[in-house]
Amino acid sequence: MDMTRRAALLTSAAIASSVMFPMRSFAQTTPRKGGVFTVHYGAEQRQLNPSLQASTGVYIIGGKIQEQLVDLDAKGDPVGVLAESWEATPDGKTITFKLRPGVTWHDGKPFTSADVQFTAMEMWKKILNYGTTLQLFLTAVDTPDPLTAVFRYERPMPLQLLLRALPDLGYISPRHLYEGKGDIRQNPVNLAPVGTGPFKFVAYERGQHVIADRNPNYWRPNAPYLDRIVWRVVTDRSAAAAQMEAGQIHYSPFSGLTISDSARLAKDPRFIVSTKGNEGNARTNTVEFNFRRKELADIRVRRAIAHALDIPFFIENFLGDFAKRGTGPVPSVSTDFYPADNGPQYPFDKALAAKLLDEAGFKAGAGGTRFSLRLLPAPWGEDITLFATFIQQSLANVGIKVEIVRTDGGGFLKQVYNDWDFDLATGWHQYRNDPAVSTTVWYRSGQPKGAPWTNQWDWTDPTIDKIIDDAATEVDTGKRKALYGDFVRRANTEIPIWTPIEQIFLTAITAKARNHSNTPRWGSSSWHDLWLAE
């Protein structure tokens, strides 16, 4: 790739102007029943159950079929879904949820507290990436009656933390389809989910589509409006844009299109291209280090790699107005937890990078090469592809030869987080309202093997583990913020992963859609009120 400025990517300013006022007025305001809504599904993850895998790539499908205890309303405040109310004891060790009556699973069985108990103890605590750390001190879930679930913790669980986490980490699975059925991870229900949500699973043809139909017995009156949702697997982003223009796809979520295609669609009155509805899913680009490689276990090498990358140049020339320099694992959009002091930063300094590599004992050999690394980029977005090539070319300038190994979504997750078959990886870290939800798990040791987007680097730091555990159980908000400042500074000092770029997700959607982008995590939400105008 030619690393000079690319004119196509300078169109991000045009996108920015188009999303400032993205919602348009339309004459039809009465919801219309019926219709098929087609979604661009760019990277299959071989998992559809959000109780087992926390990921926008899972929520985009599973979040319409299964439901969680709590979601976020239009203002970003917690609102009950399968839970109607909740309360915590003053010591923070007991949290009680009163559940919604009259809810049934798609197979007709009643939803009860037994489902909550099983899901929390067997899935969230033991398997769910992010959930294993969040629920580390969960000791039991009592079920005094079918509509009451009492969560008991060894150490305090701040109620606001749990409520911030449950929109993503609170999906419930049917106990009767999992208990006593063998390995939960291999249960076929994971790819044919049964939920309580507005849409019922119909079919999954790998590499083709996923289909879900309207749930006629949904507990919300008159919902949903749509008859069917089809998620069409299209891995080529330009092909997805062409299908949108042809009317074959209505919605492309989570920066699924190229920047240039997004800019073109933003000028077309048939579409809305916007950051709205993504406020609850800020993201940073990652550089992930496998400490099983002796070179990367040396902190001087990790710091050298960081100094070798000219991040401001990459942002200016390839990402534009929707990206900024990242300063650590807690992004600047987190008004509650962003620290005044982020600790060490790593500005571009090629000479310093070379000096650190020399000091680490990795002198340049024949042809100037010091050593070679394999880099696995996640297939989630165009920016990751571009960043991988930028890393490759930048590290070549300091004597590190990089081979880029590309794979599909499921292959990436397996090779990096289960098989540990990588040296460097790059993808997205998604920040979800509180560092304890989906951020600290990238650093906390003891994560289950195979849990995506968690510490699988073979790196353990007792200092950061203690900070993470103390912050997650501190009920005083001021003390929690101070502890997360300590966490950020320690993470930036040791850099087991590096988060040098902050971004905002873009979505493209047909202008015929109504009630869309109306919550901070809309792409992941249930779409019970979504409808299509004629």
Side-chain angles (χ1 to χ4, degrees):
M1 183 196 316
D2 180 4
M3 303 306 286
T4 59
R5 182 183 300 269
R6 300 192 309 166
L9 293 180
L10 296 182
T11 55
S12 62
I15 303 176
S17 63
S18 74
V19 301
M20 290 182 66
F21 303 100
M23 304 306 156
R24 306 180 180 115
S25 297
F26 298 91
Q28 185 176 358
T29 58
T30 302
R32 182 177 75 93
K33 286 274 190 179
V36 177
F37 190 68
T38 305
V39 182
H40 172 207
Y41 187 36
E44 295 172 276
Q45 295 191 13
R46 306 176 193 173
Q47 174 65 266
L48 299 180
N49 184 348
S51 302
L52 294 174
Q53 185 162 304
S55 164
T56 51
V58 175
Y59 304 145
I60 193 66
I61 298 174
K64 288 70 187 152
I65 298 168
Q66 294 179 237
E67 293 182 301
Q68 67 278 70
L69 295 177
V70 175
D71 203 351
L72 300 179
D73 66 13
K75 296 180 180 179
D77 296 326
V79 60
V81 182
L82 291 178
E84 286 193 319
S85 64
W86 45 84
E87 63 179 356
T89 55
D91 65 1
K93 293 184 177 181
T94 302
I95 299 176
T96 301
F97 290 92
K98 292 294 184 179
L99 307 179
R100 189 174 301 279
V103 177
T104 58
W105 294 100
H106 293 157
D107 62 3
K109 301 291 186 182
F111 160 73
T112 73
S113 57
D115 299 305
V116 177
Q117 188 275 341
F118 180 82
T119 302
M121 297 303 296
E122 301 301 323
M123 295 182 172
W124 300 352
K125 184 175 175 65
K126 295 181 180 180
I127 301 173
L128 178 64
N129 57 310
Y130 308 152
T132 55
T133 294
L134 179 74
Q135 304 293 356
L136 182 64
F137 299 107
L138 177 67
T139 58
V141 177
D142 297 338
T143 56
D145 63 64
L147 295 178
T148 304
V150 183
F151 285 62
R152 301 196 182 278
Y153 291 90
E154 176 186 347
R155 295 176 62 172
M157 167 61 78
L159 179 60
Q160 287 305 310
L161 162 58
L162 187 60
L163 294 177
R164 288 172 183 262
L166 287 177
D168 285 318
L169 307 184
Y171 285 90
I172 306 300
S173 289
R175 177 177 181 171
H176 64 280
L177 295 180
Y178 282 92
E179 189 173 40
K181 308 292 186 182
D183 186 351
I184 289 175
R185 294 177 179 85
Q186 302 303 319
N187 192 310
V189 179
N190 296 332
L191 292 176
V194 174
T196 60
F199 297 94
K200 298 175 63 173
F201 174 83
V202 174
Y204 179 13
E205 294 292 335
R206 186 173 172 186
Q208 299 296 319
H209 59 250
V210 180
I211 300 173
D213 283 350
R214 183 179 187 272
N215 175 11
N217 301 312
Y218 189 46
W219 58 267
R220 295 183 196 263
N222 301 315
Y225 297 119
L226 297 171
D227 284 338
R228 169 172 283 191
I229 302 175
V230 176
W231 293 266
R232 181 175 293 181
V233 179
V234 183
T235 57
D236 185 306
R237 299 180 186 92
S238 295
Q243 289 185 33
M244 288 197 72
E245 291 177 297
Q248 298 169 346
I249 289 177
H250 294 114
Y251 173 57
S252 181
F254 307 122
S255 299
L257 305 180
T258 67
I259 297 173
S260 56
D261 283 334
S262 295
R264 189 179 71 259
L265 295 184
K267 299 175 183 177
D268 188 326
R270 296 176 298 165
F271 306 102
I272 295 167
V273 178
S274 177
T275 59
K276 186 174 172 57
N278 295 313
E279 298 88 347
N281 290 122
R283 80 184 194 266
T284 56
N285 292 77
T286 62
V287 179
E288 304 159 35
F289 300 98
N290 191 342
F291 281 61
R292 298 168 186 85
R293 279 293 301 262
K294 65 177 183 179
E295 296 91 344
L296 300 177
D298 191 314
I299 194 170
R300 293 169 293 188
V301 173
R302 301 195 301 277
R303 290 173 174 171
I305 288 173
H307 282 300
L309 304 183
D310 189 346
I311 299 301
F313 174 89
F314 178 74
I315 291 172
E316 179 182 357
N317 288 276
F318 294 91
L319 303 180
D321 292 350
F322 287 109
K324 61 186 291 187
R325 179 67 184 262
T327 56
V330 175
S332 60
V333 296
S334 178
T335 55
D336 290 336
F337 296 104
Y338 187 70
D341 176 10
N342 283 278
Q345 301 296 301
Y346 300 92
F348 175 62
D349 190 330
K350 180 179 173 182
L352 178 56
K355 180 174 180 291
L356 287 167
L357 292 169
D358 286 343
E359 290 176 356
F362 300 107
K363 305 284 187 178
T369 300
R370 300 172 188 270
F371 54 86
S372 299
L373 297 172
R374 295 170 66 251
L375 168 63
L376 272 68
W380 317 138
E382 180 191 28
D383 60 303
I384 299 173
T385 301
L386 294 169
F387 193 41
T389 302
F390 184 74
I391 292 171
Q392 181 187 50
Q393 295 192 356
S394 298
L395 295 189
N397 292 332
V398 294
I400 301 175
K401 183 178 180 181
V402 174
E403 175 192 2
I404 297 177
V405 180
R406 304 190 189 279
T407 184
D408 64 7
F412 173 82
L413 297 177
K414 184 175 186 295
Q415 284 185 247
V416 175
Y417 301 106
N418 187 77
D419 298 344
W420 306 327
D421 184 18
F422 74 105
D423 299 323
L424 299 174
T426 183
W428 291 334
H429 151 248
Q430 292 188 43
Y431 181 81
R432 295 177 169 91
N433 305 305
D434 188 297
V437 177
S438 59
T439 298
T440 56
V441 290
W442 290 76
Y443 299 85
R444 180 63 167 85
S445 66
Q447 303 299 323
K449 183 180 181 181
W453 306 292
T454 67
N455 179 358
Q456 301 294 332
W457 333 126
D458 199 33
W459 176 76
T460 299
D461 181 68
T463 299
I464 211 165
D465 284 354
K466 185 177 187 305
I467 293 171
I468 289 170
D469 294 348
D470 288 348
T473 57
E474 177 55 65
V475 295
D476 182 280
T477 55
K479 292 179 180 178
R480 282 195 80 221
K481 181 173 183 177
L483 284 166
Y484 283 125
D486 293 340
F487 158 72
V488 168
R489 289 183 286 275
R490 184 72 178 178
N492 280 342
T493 299
E494 298 297 322
I495 52 169
I497 70 166
W498 190 38
T499 52
I501 302 170
E502 288 186 30
Q503 292 201 67
I504 303 172
F505 277 125
L506 271 180
T507 56
I509 192 167
T510 174
K512 293 182 178 181
R514 301 293 187 274
N515 290 338
H516 70 88
S517 308
N518 54 8
T519 70
R521 55 184 301 278
W522 185 80
S524 300
S525 68
S526 71
W527 298 354
H528 66 272
D529 59 345
L530 174 66
W531 58 282
L532 286 171
E534 293 180 312

